[in-house]
Amino acid sequence: MAAASSLLSEDKFLCSVCLDVFTEPVSTPCGHNFCSACIHKYWDSSDVCQCPLCKREFSTRPELQVNTVVSELTAEFKTLVQVKASSPDPQPPETPDVLCDICSEMKEKAVKSCLMCLASFCEIHLEPHQRVAGLRSHVLLDPVKNLDDRMCKTHSKITELYCRTDQDCICILCFKTSHKGHDVVSLEEEYEAVMAKKDAAMANIQNMMQSRSEKIAEIEKSVDEAGTEKEASVQVFTDLIRSIQRSQAELVEAIEERYRATKQKAEGFLTDLKMEVAELKSRSSQLEQLSQSVDRHHFLQSFPTLCSPVNKDWTAIGVHSDMSFEAVRDAVTLLKQRVDEVMEELPEIIMKRMREHAVDLTFDPDTAYCSLVISQDGKQVTDGVTAQELPHSPNRFEVCPEVLAKEGFTTGKFYYEVQVKGVIKCVVGVVRESVDRKEDTLFSVEDGFWTIELKQGIYTAYAKPNVEVKPKEEPQKVGIFVDYEGGVVSFYEVNSKSHIYSFTGCHFTEKLYPYFSPQVNTSGANSVPLIITPVPQTH
């Protein structure tokens, strides 16, 4: 019964995700158990479907069933815990003392252990070691358990030597046989040698502790600074918004005041002008009537008056707008442009805006080279080495391990991500629809390829000339962004959000297809598949 109870220890029934006793335990294909809700939540929050314990990755999310055996054992464990909780806690047993090996009935506590006799003695039975000459040379030490551990398991002799070559305690017969020719010294000599190094070792440990403590403080400071960065940025923008709102209100008030003054001035000018126009119309009418009169004397007397010029000169008079308001608008426009430029340089903003154009892709088997193997869901591809018997397709690549996505694009922007973790060599990018699929062609823009190669951790963009980029971290996932009208094809390392390379100034006239080349899998050295991964939704 005790053995059965020991099998129900709590650590066997704890989910490694929530660190609590299992609820609806399910088993992954690798044999590990988790709460059903925990493992699904873990996978939902990760780009990769893998076991939280052994990190084994699954190409597709496994369908998990409740493990009935673990579920029943968990229920039994919970019942046992409830029973124990209802009973008083037993006092933990005290650690037993080392007892005398010679006492036959009531064993006394040992006061010394002998390395030569491999036994522990109480005060009474230790007396011969203090009196008999042959025993006084034995090595005594404070009572210790498991003296058998100090015996050579091979020769049943005490291990009184130390082999520096193998860093192990040995007996004299080991020295003459399996450790012959090794650097062997007595335990005492090795002890003294190690003790001589103790202070230096302690100092080294202290230095390492100090350096790591400083690193902890540095990291914690960085975390604190990262936490306050949001508050500081929000405050700066809040102050800017308030300043702009205040300036906007003041500007509107100034414009309205100037508008009222301008309107009042303009209305005065308009009144005078309208009066002059009315007078000129009257003169025109009178002049027309005089021209039809036969009274030449009256005509000659009236004509000079009707044709006399109006005294006021309106040439230099007008209502003009103040250019100072335009200067304010220009300054605000420049500020907005500068803020936009800075925002567009932030990696997180760049990635967020690109991901807004994410597309769902699948590999097109009709274009795949004969040795390529595509997963059932159409999201993974690798070189299977052996050529397959495939139906003829005019769209199939027939020279190298290459494949296109089913989806093509003739307008707008699109973005997708490809997992390259563990891949030794591959080429990804986009190609035009008319790219040659039957002959060996170069990865060049002239031939319709806008691609980069990943080879042993180094990116090479096939431009003129080729451009090499060595990432700071091991490549995990590549993001490809295409702006068809803008003529841009950009590549990013997704995890670090770092820019790899961009083809700019491109002129696209055909449909573009995402392109993938796992490269040849020689002797299984390049067997890790390229995986089209889902792009996280932006908010």
Side-chain angles (χ1 to χ4, degrees):
M1 185 68 183
S5 299
S6 66
L7 291 175
L8 297 177
S9 59
E10 184 175 5
D11 59 341
K12 295 182 176 63
F13 299 95
L14 293 183
C15 171
S16 61
V17 178
C18 66
L19 302 180
D20 203 351
V21 179
F22 290 127
T23 301
E24 295 187 1
V26 295
S27 299
T28 59
C30 54
H32 294 116
N33 300 309
F34 308 94
C35 299
S36 177
C38 291
I39 187 62
H40 285 98
K41 184 178 180 180
Y42 178 83
W43 284 342
D44 290 340
S45 63
S46 175
D47 294 340
V48 180
C49 184
Q50 64 179 9
C51 174
L53 280 177
C54 66
K55 303 303 180 183
R56 175 180 170 185
E57 295 184 7
F58 309 111
S59 57
T60 57
R61 182 178 292 196
E63 293 185 5
L64 304 179
Q65 302 294 329
V66 174
N67 188 321
T68 55
V69 175
V70 176
S71 182
E72 291 172 0
L73 288 174
T74 301
E76 184 178 345
F77 172 75
K78 290 180 178 179
T79 302
L80 182 62
V81 170
Q82 292 174 353
V83 171
K84 286 185 176 181
S86 61
S87 60
D89 294 335
Q91 295 298 321
E94 296 183 358
T95 303
D97 296 317
V98 179
L99 302 179
C100 177
D101 293 321
I102 308 302
C103 294
S104 57
E105 296 182 359
M106 181 66 71
K107 289 186 176 291
E108 298 291 334
K109 291 183 180 179
V111 293
K112 291 290 180 181
S113 295
C114 178
L115 290 182
M116 305 298 290
C117 301
L118 293 178
S120 298
F121 304 96
C122 64
E123 288 186 359
I124 295 175
H125 292 112
L126 182 65
E127 187 271 336
H129 279 76
Q130 299 169 338
R131 175 174 50 82
V132 179
L135 296 178
R136 275 187 283 181
S137 62
H138 287 194
V139 179
L140 299 176
L141 66 162
D142 291 335
V144 293
K145 297 180 182 179
N146 304 323
L147 285 170
D148 290 343
D149 291 344
R150 299 169 187 254
M151 292 287 290
C152 173
K153 300 299 186 291
T154 304
H155 304 108
S156 298
K157 288 187 174 294
I158 189 169
T159 53
E160 52 189 337
L161 301 175
Y162 185 81
C163 177
R164 289 174 172 171
T165 304
D166 294 334
Q167 296 185 348
D168 193 15
C169 296
I170 62 174
C171 71
I172 187 66
L173 292 180
C174 292
F175 171 59
K176 294 179 179 180
T177 55
S178 57
H179 293 263
K180 189 175 182 180
H182 290 189
D183 183 8
V184 177
V185 296
S186 67
L187 287 178
E188 289 77 9
E189 182 178 347
E190 181 64 17
Y191 173 78
E192 294 297 333
V194 172
M195 285 299 292
K197 300 176 182 177
K198 184 198 70 170
D199 292 342
M202 289 292 293
N204 184 45
I205 291 174
Q206 292 296 328
N207 289 335
M208 289 192 292
M209 289 172 58
Q210 179 66 25
S211 65
R212 281 152 180 76
S213 297
E214 292 174 356
K215 180 58 68 173
I216 289 173
E218 177 188 334
I219 293 174
E220 288 177 343
K221 181 180 179 182
S222 298
V223 171
D224 292 340
E225 290 175 350
T228 57
E229 185 65 32
K230 175 183 176 182
E231 297 178 6
S233 298
V234 169
Q235 187 61 48
V236 167
F237 272 89
T238 300
D239 293 343
L240 175 61
I241 292 170
R242 288 174 179 171
S243 176
I244 290 176
Q245 288 175 337
R246 183 173 61 253
S247 299
Q248 181 188 34
E250 293 173 348
L251 180 64
V252 169
E253 183 179 353
I255 291 174
E256 289 179 345
E257 182 179 347
R258 192 167 297 180
Y259 168 75
R260 288 192 294 270
T262 301
K263 183 179 179 182
Q264 183 178 0
K265 184 179 180 180
E267 287 175 349
F269 291 155
L270 291 173
T271 301
D272 293 342
L273 284 168
K274 289 177 181 178
M275 290 176 62
E276 291 187 6
V277 169
E279 181 182 350
L280 291 172
K281 285 183 177 180
S282 174
R283 289 185 184 188
S284 175
S285 177
Q286 292 179 37
L287 186 60
E288 179 66 27
Q289 291 178 1
L290 285 174
S291 64
Q292 297 175 5
S293 174
V294 295
D295 188 349
R296 294 178 176 81
H297 183 271
H298 180 64
F299 178 83
L300 292 174
Q301 283 184 328
S302 302
F303 184 80
T305 302
L306 295 175
C307 294
S308 62
V310 180
N311 294 330
K312 194 169 185 178
D313 184 8
W314 289 91
T315 305
I317 295 176
V319 179
H320 306 286
S321 61
D322 194 324
M323 297 303 291
S324 60
F325 294 141
E326 184 176 350
V328 173
R329 291 196 300 273
D330 291 343
V332 174
T333 301
L334 289 174
L335 174 61
K336 179 181 179 302
Q337 291 174 350
R338 182 55 185 154
V339 171
D340 289 343
E341 290 172 359
V342 173
M343 290 291 290
E344 290 175 357
E345 292 174 359
L346 295 176
E348 292 80 3
I349 301 300
I350 294 173
M351 188 64 64
K352 177 180 181 295
R353 292 179 179 176
M354 289 192 303
R355 283 177 164 175
E356 292 173 354
H357 303 281
V359 293
D360 185 20
L361 303 179
T362 52
F363 294 114
D364 184 359
D366 290 339
T367 66
Y369 181 68
C370 60
S371 68
L372 293 184
V373 178
I374 298 175
S375 62
Q376 187 173 1
D377 63 356
K379 300 294 185 180
Q380 302 187 30
V381 64
T382 187
D383 181 34
V385 182
T386 305
Q388 308 170 77
E389 291 292 336
L390 299 174
H392 172 73
S393 170
N395 297 325
R396 190 179 307 284
F397 289 95
E398 297 184 357
V399 179
C400 299
E402 303 168 280
V403 63
L404 302 182
K406 291 181 179 179
E407 298 77 17
F409 305 88
T410 57
T411 186
K413 302 174 182 177
F414 61 95
Y415 173 83
Y416 59 98
E417 295 177 353
V418 185
Q419 181 175 304
V420 296
K421 180 181 179 182
V423 175
I424 303 300
K425 183 179 180 181
C426 68
V427 179
V428 294
V430 295
V431 298
R432 64 189 180 206
E433 185 175 21
S434 63
V435 71
D436 194 339
R437 311 180 191 199
K438 310 303 180 183
E439 301 292 336
D440 191 6
T441 56
L442 298 174
F443 292 116
S444 65
V445 173
E446 289 77 9
D447 291 327
F449 291 83
W450 292 270
T451 56
I452 62 169
E453 178 189 61
L454 172 62
K455 184 177 181 181
Q456 297 179 341
I458 298 178
Y459 293 110
T460 300
Y462 286 113
K464 277 193 173 181
N466 291 348
V467 178
E468 281 193 0
V469 178
K470 188 172 184 179
K472 296 180 180 179
E473 301 177 1
E474 180 183 357
Q476 304 284 316
K477 191 181 295 185
V478 179
I480 297 100
F481 173 76
V482 179
D483 182 352
Y484 194 99
E485 283 78 15
V488 175
V489 181
S490 296
F491 299 85
Y492 288 82
E493 218 303 310
V494 174
N495 287 3
S496 63
K497 299 179 178 61
S498 57
H499 177 251
I500 301 172
Y501 184 79
S502 289
F503 294 91
T504 58
C506 308
H507 182 58
F508 303 125
T509 57
E510 300 181 26
K511 182 178 286 188
L512 296 180
Y513 284 91
Y515 169 89
F516 312 85
S517 178
Q519 300 291 286
V520 177
N521 180 18
T522 306
S523 302
N526 195 34
S527 59
V528 177
L530 291 178
I531 305 175
I532 300 174
T533 58
V535 177
Q537 296 295 317
T538 58
H539 300 284

